Amino acid sequence: MRKPELAAAIAEQAELTKDKANEVINAITDEITNALSRNEAVTLIGFGTFSQRERSARTGKNPQTGATIQIAASKSVGFKPGKSLKDSVNQ
């Protein structure tokens, strides 16, 4: 499912216009992004938790040449699904 399809489904369920549903999706994703950039976890009970994770520096390999390269430390986003989401996926 892509964003326009999600907006259409939300619009139908919540009896909103597609434009308004798209604004809601944008607001939600913007707030999740802002919280993660402040290193705050975002927990949606029953759905899951988004959190910022640290990746340490490590040694890698260039697949074309086989040369060893240093990969810098970075931050990434992790998602841990909630119990309800896991249960519905595993049925």
Side-chain angles (χ1 to χ4, degrees):
M1 178 179 281
R2 294 182 17 229
K3 188 176 176 182
E5 296 157 344
L6 179 61
I10 290 171
E12 186 177 321
Q13 280 189 357
E15 297 179 5
L16 299 171
T17 64
K18 287 182 185 179
D19 289 337
K20 194 54 128 173
N22 200 34
E23 287 178 30
V24 169
I25 293 169
N26 287 337
I28 291 169
T29 56
D30 288 347
E31 286 306 310
I32 291 172
T33 302
N34 292 336
L36 290 172
S37 69
R38 294 187 305 264
N39 198 21
E40 297 175 8
V42 177
T43 302
L44 305 172
I45 303 297
F47 183 73
T49 301
F50 295 91
S51 61
Q52 191 182 99
R53 295 186 180 165
E54 301 278 334
R55 296 188 71 175
S56 57
R58 60 198 186 281
T59 303
K61 188 188 268 192
N62 182 330
Q64 291 180 331
T65 64
T68 302
I69 58 172
Q70 281 300 112
I71 301 171
S74 63
K75 296 177 182 176
S76 65
V77 176
F79 177 74
K80 182 177 179 190
K83 185 175 179 350
S84 298
L85 179 59
K86 282 194 265 186
D87 290 346
S88 65
V89 168
N90 286 317
Q91 283 184 335

